[in-house]
Amino acid sequence: MRCRWALPALLASVLLAPVANAQDMPALAVQARIVEVLEREALYRDKVDWQAIRTRLQSANADPAQTWQQVRDAIAVSSGGHGRWLPPTHPLLQSSSSRGSVAATPAPSATQRTHEPGAMQQRTAQQRDMDTVGRRIGWMTVGAFSGSGPGDSAAWQRTSLAFAGTLQTAIRSKDQAERCGWVVDLRGNGGGNMWPMLLGLAPLLEEADGHPPRVGAFTTADSERSWSLHDGAVWHEQKKMLDAGAAEYRLRHPGAPVAVLFGPRTASSGEATALAFRGRAATRSFGQPTAGLSTGNRTERLPDGSALLVTGDVMVDRNGQGDGRKIAPDVVVGEGEDAAAAARDWLLAQPACATSAR
């Protein structure tokens, strides 16, 4: 059975989901199917000796554990570390309906509230950063989100719209008369699903002229499929991925300057969000290079109920720039240095802020 879920249903579940247990091992027929799919579609498939793996799979004397390890290595190499095999018992594959859709995974809120150890320290650091930039600058922290499963499932739509709505509500509440610029903090965004992030940040992604922006794309050697925001929705080429409808918010001053913060913990969908801002007018990024997983996954369901995350696309910005690797900021802020202060200084120097200060 083959099942292609909406690209990319699980862009960074490789980061957000637990790793398969060592004892999990699919049957040889399933491993052969994995090799077949990867050899045909994986982004870095030319880096793997597929014939050697097929020969091992067909050998009656090969050690099963070593054979599976070779297949797992091939998954890692051909995906650049972004793909993964998920066993049938994996939480992301637990069916929530007769259609076999992937169950939604609990995720941090849009503003990354959490009760895990260190959460208070993170909130204290965020408050310190917000104090640093001052009241004239709106601060948006965008955390990871994993609303798993097909993009047309009711559960995915519900949780994704809630996440996007939380972001737009926060932007609306912060969009006061004295606001002259914005910070979007992606430093802790390990990925998940990009569409709610883009829809939630739509008011800040919009250009000053209000033109519906193409904010990025997935590319392969012979195709390009754009991400865009218009008519209250986020689109993947001609497919509407998520629709805010009448709830969409527009800034009081569209096109306000935006400083984007990211670093090594910014991965996959977090990197997609960073790329969505790159090329926007009055926008500058600060921090350190990202994790280097700016690629797209699709989910291939396998005959035994397991699944393969197949990495086959490179993310690019609205101008078509991107290579699937680490994204470098416009301004590198060293370890221990104050990225919030650097962002504040740049924002306050922009015409929108300089004029409003008079």
Side-chain angles (χ1 to χ4, degrees):
M1 177 185 68
R2 184 176 185 176
C3 178
R4 288 177 177 262
W5 294 331
L7 173 69
L10 299 174
L11 255 180
S13 54
V14 63
L15 296 177
L16 300 175
V19 178
N21 295 327
Q23 65 267 28
D24 289 320
M25 184 188 306
L28 287 177
V30 175
Q31 294 183 46
R33 175 62 179 162
I34 290 172
V35 169
E36 176 189 345
V37 173
L38 292 175
E39 185 177 12
R40 184 181 65 243
E41 299 183 28
L43 186 61
Y44 305 112
R45 55 189 177 274
D46 293 343
K47 295 184 177 183
V48 176
D49 185 346
W50 299 107
Q51 183 56 50
I53 298 176
R54 284 196 298 272
T55 299
R56 189 178 187 97
L57 283 169
Q58 295 164 5
S59 172
N61 299 321
D63 177 80
Q66 292 181 3
T67 299
W68 174 229
Q69 185 57 56
Q70 190 172 3
V71 174
R72 292 180 66 185
D73 290 344
I75 295 172
V77 172
S78 65
S79 70
H82 200 180
R84 180 161 294 173
W85 174 77
L86 304 179
T89 55
H90 196 285
L92 290 173
L93 301 182
Q94 299 312 298
S95 179
S96 59
S97 73
S98 60
R99 295 176 56 196
S101 61
V102 178
T105 302
S109 73
T111 51
Q112 220 172 9
R113 297 189 185 98
T114 177
H115 298 294
E116 296 177 356
M120 184 60 70
Q121 183 178 356
Q122 292 175 7
R123 287 195 293 270
T124 301
Q126 179 179 324
Q127 185 60 53
R128 183 174 64 247
D129 287 339
M130 293 172 66
D131 291 342
T132 296
V133 299
R135 67 179 186 176
R136 298 178 61 215
I137 296 170
W139 187 284
M140 292 295 299
T141 298
V142 184
F145 174 79
S146 182
S148 310
D152 59 354
S153 71
W156 185 87
Q157 291 284 328
R158 184 169 56 253
T159 57
S160 297
L161 281 172
F163 183 92
T166 298
L167 288 174
Q168 290 211 14
T169 297
I171 292 171
R172 182 194 299 267
S173 69
K174 296 171 187 286
D175 192 19
Q176 306 300 322
E178 70 270 19
R179 301 290 188 210
C180 65
W182 297 81
V183 170
V184 175
D185 187 358
L186 303 173
R187 289 175 294 181
N189 190 327
N193 197 297
M194 60 186 278
W195 307 117
M197 300 178 196
L198 297 185
L199 183 61
L201 291 170
L204 302 182
L205 285 163
E206 186 179 22
E207 298 279 9
D209 60 8
H211 189 271
R214 166 192 139 120
V215 296
F218 288 116
T219 65
T220 64
D222 54 6
S223 69
E224 181 172 286
R225 296 176 302 284
S226 296
W227 323 329
S228 59
L229 292 158
H230 57 86
D231 300 323
V234 58
W235 300 74
H236 181 214
E237 202 62 20
Q238 301 301 316
K239 181 176 182 179
K240 185 187 296 185
M241 302 303 295
L242 203 59
D243 189 353
E248 182 188 31
Y249 180 68
R250 294 195 68 203
L251 290 181
R252 294 162 60 98
H253 303 291
V258 176
V260 183
L261 309 184
F262 55 71
R265 293 194 298 136
T266 309
S268 196
S269 288
E271 290 171 293
T273 306
L275 284 171
F277 279 98
R278 197 166 73 179
R280 176 188 180 273
T283 304
R284 200 161 178 80
S285 58
F286 300 80
Q288 298 176 13
T290 62
L293 296 174
S294 54
T295 49
N297 283 346
R298 75 167 185 84
T299 307
E300 175 86 12
R301 198 65 181 258
L302 299 168
D304 64 348
S306 66
L308 177 67
L309 303 186
V310 185
T311 305
D313 304 88
V314 169
M315 300 175 185
V316 297
D317 63 23
R318 63 186 69 194
N319 296 318
Q321 301 300 306
D323 59 10
R325 304 189 188 281
K326 294 182 179 182
I327 302 167
D330 297 316
V331 178
V332 175
V333 180
E335 189 74 32
E337 297 181 6
D338 195 341
R344 175 202 61 204
D345 293 346
W346 176 79
L347 285 167
L348 294 179
Q350 300 311 296
C353 289
T355 300
S356 64
R358 295 172 186 169

